[in-house]
Amino acid sequence: QNVKTCVVGASGLVGQTMLKVLEELNFPVGELKPLASARSAGKTVLFKGKEYVIEELTENSFDGFDLALFSAGAGVSKKFAPIARDKGLVVIDNSSAWREDVEIPLIVPEVNLEDFSKNNLIANPNCSTIQSVLPLKALQDVFGLKRVSYSTYQAVSGSGIRGIQDLERTEKGEDPEFYPYPISETAIPEIDVFLEDGYTKEERKMINETRKILHDDTLPVTATCVRVPVRNGHGVSIAVELEKEFTLEQVRKTLADYEGIVVVDNGAKHQYPTSTLANGTNEVYVGRLRKDTSCENGLLLYTVADNIRKGAAANAVQIAHAIFSKK
Ligand code: 2RA
């Protein structure tokens, strides 16, 4: 059926990628309305070879539409996502605005699509969370999870165009304008803001979102999130204690059999997850599998995914696809 679709934040990195993925997945877009703030209104975007003029987002923008994909920051989503939902649209929001709201489902289609209930406002998880919960869900189903510890290596595109520009300007020896230090010279262990307890908001997001998506509010999870001088493609190192004993062969098969995961794991041949492999695809790459002998039933793994695609735009469109194919 034809789905009248709004894309809010159409001029941004994620918004533009949403348009690309809508086209690639052949989503049945009946009518397209790209929306953005006054600052970007008037610019054009391409969709299926046709140019569309971006309209300024107002409360009336959603009238007569079926679906709204948001990626325009938490402030815009806080205000406009409920307006779109109350007008009867299915709303999928990529911002952090609604993720921790108990009423709002937080969805990764391969992991917890069943959480999509009648509530037509759905939150897209944080990019580093999405690529982590796929392998963790695969392992949880077979071996059970006892504890999770994340260390992330996050690309600058996670900060949008401003992050990419800071990498480029500091590579040329110019001063940084977005990050506190020249990202081309140093990793920066600060993503989003610092909280009272010394964690950053990004780390807190990964902890809370992991528990919500895996339906285990008491699962011990911790995280250290670091920005690295990589243009696109987040890496996440995961140390996980499983409930049950396992062999690496069992783990490898469990992961390889899981929808959305590509296992790349042969150190001798330099085969492991990289941005080079992941960028431009919608899959999560998993490798560097090995036993963590520092604890009982410990396993170490490393994942990479295109943080703009599977980490944001593709995950959102996949949710929309799953919902509208059921309508
Ligand atoms: C980042 N995960 O990488 C955050 C938001 N995309 O900056």
Side-chain angles (χ1 to χ4, degrees):
Q1 84 280 27
N2 282 336
V3 180
K4 292 187 172 184
T5 304
C6 298
V7 176
V8 181
S11 56
L13 215 46
V14 173
Q16 291 183 55
T17 308
M18 283 173 166
L19 294 173
K20 243 188 253 174
V21 176
L22 283 167
E23 195 169 333
E24 284 168 9
L25 298 187
N26 207 14
F27 187 81
V29 176
E31 192 179 327
L32 177 73
K33 183 185 279 189
L35 294 162
S37 63
R39 193 164 30 90
S40 302
K43 290 180 187 169
T44 59
V45 287
L46 263 181
F47 179 67
K48 290 189 172 176
K50 192 180 155 201
E51 255 195 2
Y52 290 77
V53 177
I54 296 176
E55 295 179 31
E56 183 178 350
L57 172 65
T58 70
E59 300 206 5
N60 305 316
S61 299
F62 307 107
D63 294 346
F65 276 72
D66 306 308
L67 167 66
L69 299 171
F70 275 72
S71 192
V76 168
S77 291
K78 209 70 181 160
K79 178 179 177 195
F80 286 98
I83 293 170
R85 185 267 318 275
D86 295 346
K87 289 186 180 216
L89 285 80
V90 169
V91 180
I92 301 168
D93 175 28
N94 185 54
S95 84
S96 57
W98 299 99
R99 289 178 185 151
E100 297 188 22
D101 185 311
V102 284
E103 298 297 314
I104 303 297
L106 183 65
I107 304 272
V108 178
E110 302 90 334
V111 176
N112 65 329
L113 194 58
E114 71 281 358
D115 286 357
F116 168 62
S117 58
K118 58 198 175 307
N119 194 326
N120 275 353
L121 171 48
I122 300 146
N124 211 35
N126 192 34
C127 37
S128 45
T129 307
I130 292 174
Q131 69 188 78
S132 302
V133 291
L134 260 96
L136 287 175
K137 178 67 165 65
L139 295 167
Q140 182 185 45
D141 287 348
V142 179
F143 305 103
L145 301 181
K146 197 169 169 188
R147 178 177 179 275
V148 175
S149 176
Y150 293 126
S151 295
T152 75
Y153 309 83
Q154 296 181 227
V156 295
S157 63
S159 306
I161 196 69
R162 293 175 302 178
I164 294 172
Q165 288 169 341
D166 238 33
L167 178 63
E168 291 173 348
R169 67 169 63 90
T170 56
E171 276 169 345
K172 290 184 284 192
E174 295 166 18
D175 289 341
E177 291 179 17
F178 180 68
Y179 297 118
Y181 300 97
I183 186 63
S184 60
E185 292 168 24
T186 177
I188 300 174
E190 175 187 2
I191 299 181
D192 211 318
V193 296
F194 276 97
L195 303 170
E196 289 293 302
D197 61 4
Y199 278 74
T200 60
K201 211 168 167 190
E202 184 79 353
E203 291 155 355
R204 186 53 60 198
K205 284 176 192 174
M206 285 196 78
I207 293 165
N208 295 345
E209 292 176 24
T210 297
R211 288 175 174 156
K212 181 170 178 179
I213 294 166
L214 297 180
H215 305 147
D216 186 348
D217 291 344
T218 61
L219 177 67
V221 183
T222 192
T224 298
C225 295
V226 180
R227 188 76 65 195
V228 293
V230 170
R231 187 183 175 88
N232 192 71
H234 286 352
V236 180
S237 171
I238 307 178
V240 55
E241 283 182 60
L242 302 179
E243 294 282 4
K244 296 177 185 165
E245 288 187 350
F246 63 89
T247 67
L248 282 181
E249 288 62 39
Q250 287 169 328
V251 162
R252 199 182 308 277
K253 181 168 179 356
T254 300
L255 293 169
D257 289 349
Y258 202 83
E259 185 192 358
I261 291 178
V262 178
V263 173
V264 184
D265 190 43
N266 185 328
K269 293 183 179 172
H270 313 292
Q271 291 169 357
Y272 34 69
T274 64
S275 296
T276 311
L277 262 179
N279 282 347
T281 80
N282 300 331
E283 276 71 38
V284 173
Y285 296 76
V286 182
R288 295 299 326 277
L289 299 169
R290 58 209 193 280
K291 289 211 170 203
D292 176 356
T293 52
S294 72
C295 62
E296 195 182 0
N297 300 326
L299 171 70
L300 295 168
L301 57 139
Y302 178 68
T303 80
V304 175
D306 182 324
N307 52 290
I308 300 297
R309 280 177 164 268
K310 185 53 187 171
N315 197 70
V317 172
Q318 288 165 350
I319 295 170
H321 227 294
I323 291 171
F324 281 90
S325 58
K326 288 193 175 104
K327 277 190 177 275

